[in-house]
Amino acid sequence: MASRPQSVLFCCDHNSVRSPMAEGMMKAFYGHEIYVQSAGVHSELEIDGFAVAVCGELGVELSGHKVRSFDQMEEWGDDLSSFDLVVALSPASQARAEELTRVFHLDVTYWPILDPTALGSRREEKLYAYRQARDQIREQILDYFGPPTRVIPL
C-alpha cells in the first residue's frame, strides 16, 4: 500500500463507467479523507445505467454523477496540478493525462480495467461484465489505498 494521497483524479474514456465507479467507491470507502474527482477524455455520454446498477449493489450511489472531460475541467477552473495522483483506467486516458501533466510534478498511474460496455448481449451478461469491472476497480483501490475507513458492504 502506498501512502494515501490527499487528492486523486480517476480518468477513463468517457467518464460514464469506470472512472465514476472508482470515484464513487473511493468516496464510499474513505469519505472525505481523500478529495476525489473523475474525468474522461470525452464527455458526450451520460452516466451508464449498468454502472449505476452494479455500484448500487455495494451501496455506492452514482445516479447523480455529472460526466465531464479533461477539457471541461480546465474550462471550469479545475487545475490538474491540484491533484496528488491521477489514476488512468484506460490507455486513452493514460495518454491524455500524461500529456496534460507533463509540466507538473504529478504521479500518473495506470490500472488496466476491463471496459464492459461492449461485452454481453443480454442484460445478465452485461451486468456480469460490469460487475467484473467494478470488482477489478474495488480490488485495485483496496490494494493501493488500504482498508476502508468507512463501513460499507464488500
Side-chain angles (χ1 to χ4, degrees):
M1 174 184 81
S3 63
R4 288 189 181 143
Q6 292 183 340
S7 57
V8 177
L9 177 71
F10 288 100
C11 56
C12 66
D13 294 348
H14 298 278
N15 191 225
S16 63
V17 177
R18 291 170 286 181
S19 57
M21 287 199 289
E23 177 185 353
M25 283 189 270
M26 279 291 291
K27 289 176 178 176
F29 293 166
Y30 307 105
H32 296 289
E33 292 178 34
I34 302 171
Y35 177 74
V36 181
Q37 291 293 310
S38 64
V41 177
H42 310 284
S43 65
E44 70 277 1
L45 303 176
E46 296 296 321
I47 184 70
D48 187 289
F50 286 107
V52 172
V54 299
C55 281
E57 294 171 352
L58 298 181
V60 175
E61 177 58 48
L62 295 185
S63 63
H65 177 76
K66 302 294 182 224
V67 172
R68 69 181 185 161
S69 67
F70 285 113
D71 292 339
Q72 287 169 319
M73 282 182 65
E74 186 178 340
E75 289 169 15
W76 299 339
D78 290 333
D79 187 355
L80 277 179
S81 67
S82 66
F83 291 93
D84 298 325
L85 174 66
V86 175
V87 178
L89 305 174
S90 71
S93 66
Q94 178 188 21
R96 182 77 171 130
E98 287 176 348
E99 173 191 328
L100 292 171
T101 62
R102 68 183 181 281
V103 297
F104 304 129
H105 179 69
L106 178 63
D107 289 328
V108 176
T109 191
Y110 173 61
W111 295 351
I113 302 297
L114 169 78
D115 180 1
T117 58
L119 300 176
S121 57
R122 295 188 346 254
R123 178 175 172 74
E124 280 308 312
E125 293 169 342
K126 289 198 137 325
L127 285 169
Y128 178 77
Y130 277 75
R131 287 179 185 122
Q132 286 182 297
R134 176 202 64 198
D135 293 347
Q136 286 178 345
I137 294 167
R138 179 177 60 192
E139 184 177 308
Q140 288 278 21
I141 287 172
L142 296 176
D143 285 349
Y144 193 91
F145 297 101
T149 56
R150 298 179 71 206
V151 177
I152 64 153
L154 291 174

